[in-house]
Amino acid sequence: MDYKGPTGVGNIHYNFAKPVKFDVEAEKERIRKSGVERPNKALPEYERRYRRFAKFLSDYMVGKNADERDDLVSQASQVSGLSFITASNSRYLGRFLRERSEAELEGTPFNKPNITSAVGYEDRYKTFKRAMDSKRPEQSFSDIVTPIAKQLRMSLASLYNTKYKGRYDKENKNA
């Protein structure tokens, strides 16, 4: 057999293939780009939930009315494994609004800067009182309070409140 060149153990490789030309700069660029796509740290649970929540809201809010805002937040919270109270909190919904410009939110249920309506204690109590006065005997408390809470954009818990009930009972007793 006739080998061209040296046949020593250290040199035999060079008889069969020429060394590959290696572009260092191109390889650095490739690594830099791939590093952006795959971060080396896993996202924390909050961040993953927030991104799912924000993606759902972004995808489904177009063409909805302001009345459907709470339903939208509720659905998004279920998708991301949150309670409605947590999702409507400024930690999630507030961040969602802060990260989007007014132009992006135009024509959506979130186009108003304030998330909850500015309803004071007296206004809430008057609404509560009106509902209690119009209560029929066969109606339960939650049947009455649910539409009010939705109208005032409040959680049911904040209308199912001893302050309102206690004040209402005292006024009826004194009347």
Side-chain angles (χ1 to χ4, degrees):
M1 293 199 194
D2 188 19
Y3 293 103
K4 291 180 183 165
T7 55
V9 175
N11 297 330
I12 197 163
H13 163 74
Y14 295 105
N15 291 321
F16 299 107
K18 290 186 177 176
V20 178
K21 289 195 176 177
F22 192 74
D23 187 0
V24 177
E25 290 304 315
E27 191 63 17
K28 278 183 185 174
E29 190 61 33
R30 185 189 67 76
I31 290 168
R32 195 177 299 118
K33 282 183 181 172
S34 66
V36 171
E37 291 161 12
R38 286 180 284 118
N40 57 0
K41 285 186 181 174
L43 288 174
E45 184 59 26
Y46 160 70
E47 192 61 32
R48 275 202 306 273
R49 282 182 174 173
Y50 172 73
R51 286 186 183 181
R52 261 183 284 163
F53 173 78
K55 182 171 177 6
F56 185 92
L57 279 184
S58 299
D59 293 348
Y60 293 99
M61 73 182 176
V62 179
K64 302 272 190 203
N65 302 331
D67 302 339
E68 297 171 296
R69 170 164 56 187
D70 290 348
D71 299 338
L72 201 54
V73 173
S74 177
Q75 282 175 289
S77 66
Q78 284 170 5
V79 166
S80 50
L82 304 163
S83 69
F84 176 76
I85 305 281
T86 310
S88 57
N89 186 348
S90 62
R91 189 165 184 217
Y92 288 87
L93 197 51
R95 177 174 165 190
F96 179 80
L97 293 178
R98 281 194 306 276
E99 286 180 352
R100 277 148 190 82
S101 64
E102 286 179 28
E104 274 182 275
L105 296 172
E106 196 61 44
T108 69
F110 303 97
N111 60 349
K112 292 183 179 167
N114 56 340
I115 300 165
T116 55
S117 51
V119 180
Y121 173 80
E122 278 303 314
D123 297 329
R124 287 178 183 173
Y125 176 71
K126 284 176 190 167
T127 313
F128 173 83
K129 185 176 182 205
R130 204 176 325 118
M132 288 300 280
D133 290 342
S134 63
K135 177 186 174 196
R136 296 189 301 280
E138 70 275 1
Q139 281 182 308
S140 72
F141 181 76
S142 63
D143 292 340
I144 298 165
V145 174
T146 304
I148 299 169
K150 201 162 189 172
Q151 173 195 340
L152 296 177
R153 296 197 186 294
M154 296 167 55
S155 69
L156 203 58
S158 52
L159 263 183
Y160 192 83
N161 195 323
T162 51
K163 284 192 297 189
Y164 302 128
K165 188 85 175 84
R167 180 175 165 186
Y168 181 77
D169 292 341
K170 277 186 212 160
E171 285 179 4
N172 281 354
K173 196 167 94 175
N174 294 339

